Amino acid sequence: MASELQRLVDSLGARLGRSVALDDVSIRLLAYTAHTGEVDSARVESIMRRRVSPEVVAHIHASGALAAQGLFTVPAMPELGLDVARVGMAVRHERSLLGFLWLLGSDGPVKDKDLAAVRQAAESAALTLHREYLIGELSRGRERELVRDLISADPRLRDDAAQRLIEEELITAGPVRALVATITHDQSRPLGERDRLALTAGLDHARRRLPPRTSIHLERPDHGILILVQPVPVTAEIDDLAAALHRRLAAESGRTPQECWVGIGGHQPGLTGAHRSHAEARQAADVARIIRVLGPVVSHSNLGVYGLLAELPTERLGHSLHPGLRRLLDHDAGHDALVTTLETFLDHAGDIKRTAASLCIHRASLYYRLRRIEEIASVDLSSGDDRLTLHLGLKIARLTSLR
């Protein structure tokens, strides 16, 4: 498809004697010609990164691009890097919007005699994009079906899916690792439409960073899954990929980075182990979302005690909470000073100097707070057993959303 679209824009550019570019519906660059006039930073970014910023996309949409039936103009906006106005034409197949054909305003106005050529090029691009869309949907549909089986609870389905994915050349054989991405939402409902689209865009962005046939993905109602083959497992590469997925997810959804989460599962020797890595990645993303102290991108191997606690049913964890800690949580509701003091004290292994410095309080104030904690919770902070029980209890409180 790429070569066909490139020939199309090259032909139109030569015919009109001006620069031409073609984007998909998400304003991702598909093909472009050499430039005959002035260009701006937005065009450079589009060429270098194959995409533009969400602000530029919003500006294009606000200019009427989504509803336009003929030529339309996107005004210059220097603060977004758009120093040059664009003249665009929507690429549609029947009523489906598939992309945009762009001319630069710096090349001069579009003459009436050239309008037919632009329209014809848009129609040809629409046919090419529609054909590739249908072919791609068939392939993606088959991939989605097999990935669902690959992470199922049935080992026979998993084995068969792994074999078919390799036989049908959808992915190569080798060690695998899974990433899970999600966005903060009401857990009783699936993700909203915009968040689902952001999830799709994020997974697609991550896959484009990888060699062909080394990854597959699946969107679920509340999370997205990326499974990749890594012949030589390199943790730094996975971390970089997860960070890129997280950034794109936040940008596409319009959420803050603290509202998007990516979990990283462990390495498995082959595709049949993808379900285990997926389960670990999902647990990592869920734990990170709930406790919010591990950061937005978390590897399952870095969950520490949270990984162990997450294996237990939430109801059982709640019942195991120390009664004194429950009293402290109830007493501290709304201001959290004593609970924060206790957690900081325990995290610093009872070191008074480091705890006071971390809380930015005088040691005398710290000693007073610790005495109040002992009184309310009926514990002895000089006892190793009590400190261990309280420390675990605080982790449980975070995991069960009691804190």
Side-chain angles (χ1 to χ4, degrees):
M1 178 184 70
S3 59
E4 189 171 344
L5 294 176
Q6 187 61 52
R7 286 195 297 270
L8 187 152
V9 298
D10 284 341
S11 175
L12 180 62
R15 182 171 178 179
L16 302 185
R18 60 189 301 156
S19 304
V20 179
L22 178 67
D23 286 342
D24 68 10
V25 70
S26 298
I27 320 297
R28 293 177 297 201
L29 189 63
L30 298 176
Y32 67 97
T33 66
H35 296 93
T36 60
E38 180 187 353
V39 297
D40 52 27
S41 59
R43 173 53 61 87
V44 173
E45 179 186 21
S46 176
I47 293 172
M48 297 298 292
R49 301 178 61 191
R50 295 281 163 174
R51 63 183 290 268
V52 294
S53 69
E55 292 76 17
V56 171
V57 174
H59 177 58
I60 291 172
H61 290 174
S63 302
L66 299 178
Q69 297 298 320
L71 286 179
F72 63 93
T73 300
V74 176
M77 186 169 281
E79 57 267 35
L80 297 181
L82 283 166
D83 299 321
V84 178
R86 268 61 167 175
V87 178
M89 177 168 284
V91 175
R92 300 180 187 275
H93 182 269
E94 297 179 348
R95 295 186 178 182
S96 297
L97 179 63
L98 302 177
F100 298 97
L101 198 62
W102 299 109
L103 309 175
L104 289 175
S106 56
D107 291 336
V110 180
K111 301 174 183 178
D112 291 341
K113 65 182 182 66
D114 294 331
L115 181 58
V118 175
R119 192 179 300 279
Q120 182 180 8
E123 291 172 354
S124 297
L127 290 174
T128 299
L129 290 172
H130 181 65
R131 183 179 69 248
E132 293 301 318
Y133 170 79
L134 293 178
I135 295 172
E137 275 300 292
L138 288 173
S139 176
R140 283 190 292 271
R142 180 59 173 159
E143 179 182 304
R144 285 192 291 265
E145 174 188 342
L146 291 174
V147 176
R148 279 195 295 268
D149 289 346
L150 189 65
I151 61 172
S152 73
D154 188 334
R156 291 174 299 178
L157 283 178
R158 296 198 299 262
D159 291 347
D160 183 64
Q163 182 179 347
R164 291 183 180 278
L165 281 164
I166 294 170
E167 287 178 350
E168 296 177 24
E169 298 186 344
L170 294 173
I171 196 169
T172 58
V176 299
R177 200 166 187 182
L179 304 183
V180 162
T182 189
I183 300 172
T184 296
H185 65 287
D186 182 346
Q187 294 301 302
S188 65
R189 298 181 179 180
L191 289 169
E193 183 63 24
R194 181 176 181 181
D195 289 340
R196 290 288 297 275
L197 291 174
L199 204 59
T200 300
L203 293 170
D204 183 60
H205 172 71
R207 288 189 69 169
R208 290 201 305 273
R209 295 169 60 97
L210 301 167
R213 297 178 55 230
T214 61
S215 63
I216 47 180
H217 78 273
L218 177 68
E219 296 94 6
R220 305 298 288 168
D222 61 347
H223 69 284
I225 307 160
L226 178 66
I227 296 171
L228 57 144
V229 171
Q230 201 180 21
V232 181
V234 180
T235 299
E237 292 179 0
I238 296 294
D239 291 345
D240 182 60
L241 181 68
L245 171 56
H246 176 261
R247 288 193 299 269
R248 189 57 179 265
L249 193 57
E252 294 287 346
S253 64
R255 304 295 195 100
T256 66
Q258 292 73 34
E259 295 177 293
C260 303
W261 313 91
V262 177
I264 306 172
H267 290 286
Q268 296 296 324
L271 271 180
T272 53
H275 73 290
R276 184 181 299 276
S277 187
H278 163 251
E280 292 175 347
R282 186 171 185 185
Q283 185 181 80
D286 286 343
V287 169
R289 174 180 54 79
I290 293 169
I291 64 173
R292 297 177 180 269
V293 296
L294 297 176
V297 179
V298 181
S299 174
H300 184 268
S301 61
N302 293 332
L303 289 180
V305 69
Y306 289 114
L308 177 63
L309 295 175
E311 297 287 343
L312 301 174
T314 301
E315 183 179 352
R316 183 177 174 185
L317 284 174
H319 287 321
S320 68
L321 207 62
H322 188 285
L325 182 57
R326 284 188 179 275
R327 288 195 299 273
L328 187 64
L329 290 169
D330 291 341
H331 176 275
D332 234 21
H335 43 88
D336 206 34
L338 293 181
V339 174
T340 299
T341 298
L342 175 61
E343 187 166 34
T344 306
F345 174 74
L346 295 172
D347 284 345
H348 287 306
D351 188 310
I352 293 294
K353 182 179 179 180
R354 292 171 58 206
T355 303
S358 180
L359 294 171
C360 299
I361 61 175
H362 194 274
R363 291 189 192 184
S365 297
L366 175 58
Y367 281 123
Y368 170 75
R369 290 187 186 182
L370 294 176
R371 284 196 301 270
R372 286 290 294 143
I373 290 168
E374 289 180 321
E375 292 170 2
I376 295 169
S378 300
V379 295
D380 179 4
L381 290 178
S382 66
S383 164
D385 286 342
D386 280 358
R387 287 204 303 267
L388 176 60
T389 300
L390 291 172
H391 211 177
L392 281 175
L394 287 169
K395 307 306 181 188
I396 290 171
R398 285 191 180 275
L399 201 56
T400 56
S401 302
L402 292 175
R403 180 169 181 237

